[in-house]
Structures are given as C-alpha cells and as structure tokens.
Amino acid sequence: MGRAFEVRKNAMAKTAAAKTKVNSKYGKEIYVVAKNGGPDPETNLSLRRLIDKAKKDQVPAHVIDKAVEKAAGGAGEDYAAARYEGYGPGNCMVIVDCLTDNPNRTIKDVRLPFTKTDSKIGSPGCVAHMFDHFAILGFDGDDDEAVLEALMMADVDVTDVEVEDGKVSVFAPHTEYYKAKTALTEAFDGINFEVDEITFVPQTHIEITDPDDIANFEKFMGMLEDCDDVQNIYHNAIVKN
C-alpha cells in the first residue's frame, strides 16, 4: 500500500490568510456535526474527533466553542454535505467534499476549476470506487507485531500495519476509527498520534510530469481551495517537478 496518505496534498498552507480559511472550514464542520449529533463531545464521538483534530491544527478555542454553542442554540444555517468527483489535470482522479447551504452556488463554484483547467467533472461514483475510505493512525514505534496484536485483541478489523523509519502507520476501515484508537491508547501508555484522520486513500497513483499539466494542477487545487464550501480535496496525483 505504501504511505499513500502522505501523497495527499494538505488542504491549506499555514499562512495567515489560509489559516482564516482553515478556521472557517472547521467552524462550519463542527457546527454541522454538533447540530446533527448533539453538542456534547462525550456522547457525540464524531464531534470529539473533529474537535481534537481542530486543536491539532491550532484552531483557536473560541472558534470551536462558538460553533458548538451555535449548534446547541438550534438556530443558524442548514448545511448539507455534497460530493463531486471527476478527472483533474494530467487525468488524475479527484474527490471534492463540500458543506453547502446553497447547492446551486456550490456546484457552480466547484465546476469552475474543472472548466478553467481543461478537466472534467463527472457523475457521482465515477472515481470514488478507486479510493479506500480509511482511518489512519500514525505514531512513533518499530514493532508492528505488537501493534497488530493489540488491535486484534480488541477485535479491530485492521487493514494494514506498516513500519517505516521509526513510524507506525495503522490503516483500518473508517468505521473502525474509534475502536482502533481506543485499543492503541489502552495498549501503549503515552502514545502520541502524529497522524489521526479519516480520509480517502487512492488505490493507484498517477505521476504528473508535463509542465503544462503541473501548472494546471496547481491552478486547479488553488481554485478549489479558495471555494468557501469546499471542506476536503482528495486526489491520486504525484507531481514530479
């Protein structure tokens, strides 16, 4: 499988302007998860995971608290999840996940980067079947057998455990996230998860080497990241400059 999660481009750079976008996206997602599953992270495990992730990405506490309080108040926007798929520059496969309160606006905003880079937005499911929906947990270590044993003892349906350069990577179906993390936390005192996410991992990759395709890919990603409704972008491209 390889350390495929590292191939995926980070959604935002850590610049001040991009940080504002990160905070906004987290605020929206926390609001939706808290509104749908309840504002208490002790009972809403999806909210707990999202808050932990936001804190790791240095989202200020007031952004998190405001989103939860807004959801608890019962008022606010009515967001819905939307997913778009297609083929980007260099014929790479792309999944774009959004949260929207105006689907007509969102599809126009997402379609534009495809149009402007000679790419093709497709029908639902056209590329998603070529990605695995994984929970990925990464931490320091070198004993994959001990990790696998701990997961199996907890009856976790683990897909793969890899060790590379003193780092352990655990891949499991996204539905096994909480069982896997709990099992590892209980088995290894003081464990620190450097990678802690639920994501789409491509089954195959495509190298982009043509300078025009590389330029278009960077433009494509930049335009998508600038869309307010876009939450996450997944692709199978490896850019070879």
Side-chain angles (χ1 to χ4, degrees), residues 73-100:
E77 300 84 357
D78 187 15
Y79 292 107
R83 175 171 294 158
Y84 305 98
E85 304 174 35
Y87 296 88
N91 206 37
C92 67
M93 294 183 291
V94 183
I95 298 174
V96 184
D97 276 350
C98 302
L99 285 174
T100 178

Side-chain angles (χ1 to χ4, degrees), residues 36-166:
N36 291 337
D40 184 358
E42 293 302 315
T43 56
N44 185 344
L45 297 181
S46 294
L47 178 61
R48 185 197 305 175
R49 181 187 74 84
L50 191 56
I51 289 176
D52 288 344
K53 185 179 178 183
K55 288 178 178 178
K56 279 196 171 184
D57 281 346
Q58 301 178 352
V59 176
H62 70 85
V63 173
I64 298 171
D65 294 342
K66 182 179 179 180
V68 173
E69 290 169 4
K70 185 178 178 181
E77 300 84 357
D78 187 15
Y79 292 107
R83 175 171 294 158
Y84 305 98
E85 304 174 35
Y87 296 88
N91 206 37
C92 67
M93 294 183 291
V94 183
I95 298 174
V96 184
D97 276 350
C98 302
L99 285 174
T100 178
D101 58 352
N102 186 332
N104 290 331
R105 179 196 65 228
T106 303
I107 182 59
K108 289 180 182 178
D109 288 348
V110 172
R111 190 186 300 276
L112 186 61
F114 283 88
T115 302
K116 291 291 187 180
T117 58
D118 296 322
S119 302
K120 181 180 180 182
I121 194 167
S123 57
C126 67
V127 302
H129 65 284
M130 293 299 295
F131 289 75
D132 292 312
H133 200 187
F134 278 145
I136 305 176
L137 298 166
F139 48 93
D140 289 337
D142 55 15
D143 191 344
D144 55 332
E145 291 186 3
V147 171
L148 183 58
E149 182 179 359
L151 292 168
M152 293 182 68
M153 289 292 291
D155 197 28
V156 177
D157 183 18
V158 62
T159 302
D160 197 8
V161 177
E162 299 178 353
V163 174
E164 186 176 338
D165 298 330

Side-chain angles (χ1 to χ4, degrees), residues 128-207:
H129 65 284
M130 293 299 295
F131 289 75
D132 292 312
H133 200 187
F134 278 145
I136 305 176
L137 298 166
F139 48 93
D140 289 337
D142 55 15
D143 191 344
D144 55 332
E145 291 186 3
V147 171
L148 183 58
E149 182 179 359
L151 292 168
M152 293 182 68
M153 289 292 291
D155 197 28
V156 177
D157 183 18
V158 62
T159 302
D160 197 8
V161 177
E162 299 178 353
V163 174
E164 186 176 338
D165 298 330
K167 304 289 183 181
V168 178
S169 300
V170 173
F171 297 81
H174 70 281
T175 52
E176 295 288 278
Y177 169 82
Y178 297 107
K179 283 178 66 177
K181 187 172 183 179
T182 300
L184 293 169
T185 301
E186 292 178 351
F188 302 101
D189 290 337
I191 190 171
N192 177 43
F193 295 101
E194 297 178 9
V195 179
D196 182 351
E197 62 177 313
I198 295 176
T199 186
F200 283 94
V201 177
Q203 297 169 7
T204 62
H205 294 89
I206 187 168
E207 291 188 357

